[in-house]
Amino acid sequence: MLFNSYEFIFIFLPASFFIYFYLNHKKLTTVSKSWLIFTSLFFYSWWNILYLPLILISILFNYTITSAMVECQGTREKYFSNKILLKTGLVFNIGVLAYFKYMNFFIYNINFFSNTEIRLLNLALPLAISFFTLQQIAFLIDSYEGIVKEKNFLDYTLFVTFFPQLIAGPIVHHKEMMPQFSSSKNKIKNYRNISVGIFIFSIGLFKKVVLADYFAVWVAAGFDAAMSLSLFEAWATSLSYTFQLYFDFSGYTDMAVGTALLFNVKLPINFNSPYKATDIQDFWRRWHMTLSRFLKDYVYIRLGGSRYGEFRTYGSLMATFVIGGIWHGAGWTYVFWGVLHGVALVVHRAWGRTGFRVWSWLSWLITFNFINIAWVFFRAKKWDDAIDILGSMFSLQNVVLPEFLASKLAFLLNDHITFGDSLLNLSTGVDLIVWLVAGFILIMSFDNSVKMIDSFRVNKYNIVFTIILFYISFFHIQRYSEFIYFQF
């Protein structure tokens, strides 16, 4: 079930909300939690009920492992036993993720490099497996280190399945979620939270169905015609994807945050104006912040972090972002995207040690363009598509200028510079330019949803603003449109 669907907005969400608080009002706390788990599993099963057993097995296995860790604490065999349990849990979780997400990629590469013909498994990627696996890996490690304890199976299941964050995050920790469900004041409807939740949900819905989905049309056209793009078409394609990805994923996060607030649950911040970043480290402190937190806490620091000298630090950074690239998808383009960001962070760290500084505007320009270029590999389905688009972005061999400039710039006419429809392959014109300019203005000049939550007041302006956004979005929910991060 999609957040941006009539079924979710007008049937599923109201039913989940009103019945949950009705049960809490009747002091049926256990039943209300059970109801929320049921609705979350129903939400998950809406896509494909065949994968429901997988998430249930994953929950049961991880709960059993962590419960055993708690039981072993205080015994003489504590360290040894818990270490074995942790390794068992990690092998299980990583193994399940590797089987469903990477097995075909692994077999394909064996066939390619060994000239064999091993049959591909053609497994469909279970929905949300990347997210609920990371969430439970974090819980395993935290349980092993004694940071968290959970003896209630119902609470643990709710922690994993809570539907606002189940499909594509934010990636949450047990210690920041479960106290909110246990709080007695959160079992009563909070009308400020409801107001803020609807407000933020409407912003996220608008980002997705109006902004991201409009850019998606031009992105698809550009990547489909990757071999024949002109200079301007290639840049328009890459920038369109840069904006599509941001508005799509931050829109999802806004809707998740807004939905959770209806239930008096505050999800962690996941985006903080990432395209305003003035260096690559700053970008990763702002983009998909809960993933960055996971990579830092459970990969980078575990590899040594910055504790063992610069060379080891550079290696840890590279390994962390290669793993981050692989987590996003089973393909060499994702791996290379991770390598690019790892190299960028190494260069940033090395540059910082020199003591040289550049102007903030230049630093922003370099950072934004690097991110924009790297996203091409993230989006490309094939390596050749990425190379073709990047080749066109940095080539003067195929420049098409607008027709109205022909009389004034006729002296430029040659084999490589022509006049005509400069965005022909994207089936658009000046409207795309307008949308790109609007995208820049929105991400650079306006407050993000985090600041909007903090400053929100129930007043006429915000009520009218919410109604307008929702009204416009309502008439753009016309087709099946998944969120980009659903595929990860």
Side-chain angles (χ1 to χ4, degrees):
M1 189 179 298
L2 293 165
F3 285 165
N4 54 314
S5 66
Y6 297 121
E7 298 91 344
F8 177 84
I9 296 172
F10 296 109
I11 301 175
F12 176 85
L13 185 56
S16 301
F17 173 82
F18 285 111
I19 294 177
Y20 174 73
F21 281 107
Y22 173 78
L23 293 171
N24 277 316
H25 176 69
K26 295 297 183 179
K27 309 299 182 182
L28 301 172
T29 303
T30 301
V31 180
S32 70
K33 287 183 181 178
S34 301
W35 167 252
L36 208 50
I37 292 170
F38 170 78
T39 57
S40 297
L41 293 175
F42 179 85
F43 176 80
Y44 182 84
S45 303
W46 184 270
W47 299 88
N48 189 340
I49 197 171
L50 294 178
Y51 288 111
L52 178 60
L54 178 64
I55 190 172
L56 292 176
I57 291 171
S58 177
I59 291 169
L60 181 61
F61 179 88
N62 283 285
Y63 174 76
T64 302
I65 290 289
T66 53
S67 296
M69 286 182 182
V70 173
E71 293 297 323
C72 287
Q73 290 177 1
T75 66
R76 292 181 179 179
E77 297 81 13
K78 168 190 169 184
Y79 179 78
F80 177 79
S81 298
N82 278 358
K83 196 169 185 178
I84 293 297
L85 289 169
L86 175 64
K87 289 181 178 179
T88 302
L90 292 176
V91 168
F92 172 82
N93 284 284
I94 296 173
V96 169
L97 185 61
Y99 177 75
F100 283 100
K101 191 168 184 176
Y102 304 107
M103 187 56 70
N104 280 334
F105 177 64
F106 180 69
I107 294 173
Y108 172 82
N109 281 282
I110 289 179
N111 288 339
F112 181 82
F113 289 108
S114 304
N115 198 29
T116 56
E117 295 183 359
I118 302 173
R119 186 175 180 181
L120 297 177
L121 299 181
N122 294 319
L123 297 168
L125 183 65
L127 188 68
I129 188 171
S130 296
F131 287 90
F132 69 69
T133 299
L134 284 197
Q135 190 168 318
Q136 293 188 98
I137 286 175
F139 183 77
L140 274 172
I141 296 173
D142 288 348
S143 297
Y144 170 75
E145 296 181 343
I147 298 173
V148 296
K149 295 179 181 179
E150 181 55 78
K151 297 183 179 180
N152 187 303
F153 180 68
L154 201 65
D155 286 347
Y156 180 76
T157 304
L158 179 58
F159 157 66
V160 177
T161 63
F162 185 47
F163 71 87
Q165 52 82 34
L166 171 62
I167 305 300
I171 301 167
V172 298
H173 287 308
H174 181 276
K175 60 186 177 183
E176 66 192 358
M177 288 292 291
M178 296 319 297
Q180 298 188 68
F181 285 109
S182 301
S183 173
S184 57
K185 68 177 182 179
N186 285 348
K187 294 179 173 60
I188 303 170
K189 288 192 290 290
N190 183 314
Y191 290 100
R192 171 175 165 74
N193 283 344
I194 293 171
S195 301
V196 178
I198 294 173
F199 176 72
I200 295 300
F201 183 91
S202 299
I203 292 174
L205 184 63
F206 182 84
K207 283 182 180 179
K208 168 58 180 171
V209 302
V210 177
L211 300 176
D213 285 355
Y214 265 83
F215 281 117
V217 175
W218 298 311
V219 172
F223 276 88
D224 287 344
M227 294 181 62
S228 56
L229 295 179
S230 67
L231 175 73
F232 296 121
E233 288 172 336
W235 277 98
T237 298
S238 66
L239 287 170
S240 292
Y241 183 66
T242 292
F243 291 136
Q244 181 204 357
L245 183 58
Y246 172 74
F247 288 124
D248 188 284
F249 194 24
S250 70
Y252 173 90
T253 300
D254 286 346
M255 282 187 269
V257 168
T259 302
L261 276 174
L262 298 180
F263 297 88
N264 297 326
V265 174
K266 295 181 180 179
L267 296 179
I269 300 169
N270 214 24
F271 286 90
N272 187 16
S273 301
Y275 291 158
K276 293 180 182 179
T278 53
D279 60 63
I280 193 64
Q281 186 178 53
D282 187 27
F283 171 76
W284 279 105
R285 287 171 176 165
R286 295 166 174 264
W287 174 274
H288 203 346
M289 295 160 67
T290 55
L291 174 62
S292 298
R293 177 179 64 177
F294 179 92
L295 291 174
K296 177 186 175 183
D297 293 345
Y298 301 101
V299 181
Y300 175 69
I301 291 177
R302 311 287 164 163
L303 293 173
S306 58
R307 300 191 300 273
Y308 303 106
E310 284 301 297
F311 183 77
R312 177 73 175 270
T313 299
Y314 297 155
S316 298
L317 282 171
M318 286 299 303
T320 298
F321 277 88
V322 169
I323 291 171
I326 293 172
W327 176 82
H328 278 90
W332 288 112
T333 52
Y334 290 112
V335 175
F336 188 66
W337 173 80
V339 169
L340 285 175
H341 278 271
V343 170
L345 281 157
V346 168
V347 170
H348 167 72
R349 186 177 178 89
W351 176 267
R353 290 177 64 84
T354 67
F356 291 108
R357 296 291 183 268
V358 298
W359 297 294
S360 294
W361 67 266
L362 180 58
S363 182
W364 171 84
L365 187 65
I366 293 171
T367 303
F368 180 82
N369 278 286
F370 168 79
I371 293 165
N372 178 59
I373 291 167
W375 282 141
V376 173
F377 290 97
F378 192 85
R379 169 60 173 79
K381 294 179 180 178
K382 297 184 296 183
W383 181 268
D384 290 345
D385 290 344
I387 299 302
D388 287 337
I389 290 177
L390 288 172
S392 296
M393 288 171 67
F394 295 97
S395 172
L396 298 178
Q397 301 299 310
N398 185 19
V399 179
V400 180
L401 299 176
E403 185 68 43
F404 71 88
L405 296 175
S407 58
K408 298 179 181 179
L409 302 176
F411 64 91
L412 294 176
L413 189 62
N414 57 44
D415 292 338
H416 305 310
I417 299 178
T418 59
F419 295 89
D421 189 344
S422 56
L423 296 172
L424 179 64
N425 283 301
L426 305 185
S427 301
T428 185
V430 70
D431 52 334
L432 174 54
I433 307 301
V434 172
W435 278 86
L436 289 174
V437 171
F440 268 113
I441 293 173
L442 286 172
I443 64 172
M444 297 302 297
S445 302
F446 286 81
D447 287 342
N448 57 45
S449 55
V450 176
K451 291 184 178 180
M452 289 182 177
I453 290 176
D454 293 337
S455 62
F456 180 83
R457 299 291 183 274
V458 180
N459 53 40
K460 292 180 180 179
Y461 169 79
N462 284 327
I463 292 173
V464 171
F465 182 67
T466 301
I467 292 173
I468 291 174
L469 285 184
F470 191 84
Y471 181 81
I472 295 172
S473 301
F474 178 86
F475 290 101
H476 283 79
I477 305 176
Q478 298 176 347
R479 60 188 185 281
Y480 185 79
S481 175
E482 290 185 1
F483 292 89
I484 292 175
Y485 260 73
F486 276 21
Q487 63 185 292
F488 303 137

